[in-house]
Amino acid sequence: MGNLMNTLRSNTLAQAVVSLLFGLLLLVWPGATIVTVIYLLAAGLAISGIASLFSYFRDKSDRYRNGSVLTVGIFYLILALVVFIFPEPIASVGAIVLGAALALCGVVSLVRALDLRQLGGYHWVAGVVPSALVALGGILIIANPFGATSAFVMVLGVVLIVNGVVNLYVSGELHRLVNVPAK
């Protein structure tokens, strides 16, 4: 039992440290973190493209070469180049899609909340406010996609830091439980 508790404690401690470090990185450098993720996406696309080209040219027989493998490889390499050259606009496009989805969900929820008004009472008001806030948030993201993305990344950083602190607490409690003598 003590061995299991020690393993849980060390895993929780490692997760806490990683969560705290990554959370601080997101909080302090949100723009750089977003661009880094976009660069990693470009690297993944480039690796996929190179692998497809390697697969195509590795096959010596013209009869069995698949043209779609060559096409996909070239497409991935071109896409990787575009993503690598334009990381901020790529991140903004993703943010715009997220903003549009949030705005649409907020409007739909707002309409549903207003429909509840027909049932009488004031319960519908509790649905109007959050729905309107979600729709407004979506519109703000569309209006300033990269700034909103940076703010979202910073909030994610704070959440990861809180998660890290909680994991540190859990790790400490596990350490305390392991070191308590059995009665």
Side-chain angles (χ1 to χ4, degrees), residues 35-177:
V35 172
T36 301
V37 168
I38 298 297
Y39 284 144
L40 290 173
L41 172 66
L45 289 168
I47 290 168
S48 294
I50 291 168
S52 293
L53 291 179
F54 180 76
S55 174
Y56 177 79
F57 289 114
R58 183 183 67 190
D59 193 353
K60 303 287 186 220
S61 170
D62 287 339
R63 181 176 176 189
Y64 296 108
R65 279 190 177 166
N66 189 342
S68 65
V69 173
L70 178 63
T71 304
V72 167
I74 292 170
F75 174 74
Y76 279 162
L77 286 174
I78 291 171
L79 192 58
L81 183 63
V82 169
V83 170
F84 185 74
I85 292 173
F86 303 108
E88 289 183 6
I90 298 295
S92 295
V93 168
I96 290 171
V97 169
L98 173 67
L102 286 173
L104 183 62
C105 289
V107 168
V108 168
S109 295
L110 183 62
V111 169
R112 287 181 182 161
L114 290 173
D115 284 344
L116 290 175
R117 206 174 31 178
Q118 297 171 354
L119 299 175
Y122 294 100
H123 299 292
W124 61 276
V125 176
V128 168
V129 174
S131 300
L133 289 175
V134 168
L136 181 63
I139 292 167
L140 290 175
I141 289 173
I142 292 170
N144 184 10
F146 200 72
T149 304
S150 294
F152 174 75
V153 169
M154 291 174 73
V155 169
L156 180 60
V158 169
V159 168
L160 285 172
I161 290 169
V162 169
N163 183 56
V165 169
V166 169
N167 281 341
L168 282 175
Y169 173 76
V170 168
S171 177
E173 287 299 304
L174 287 171
H175 179 69
R176 188 180 61 77
L177 287 173

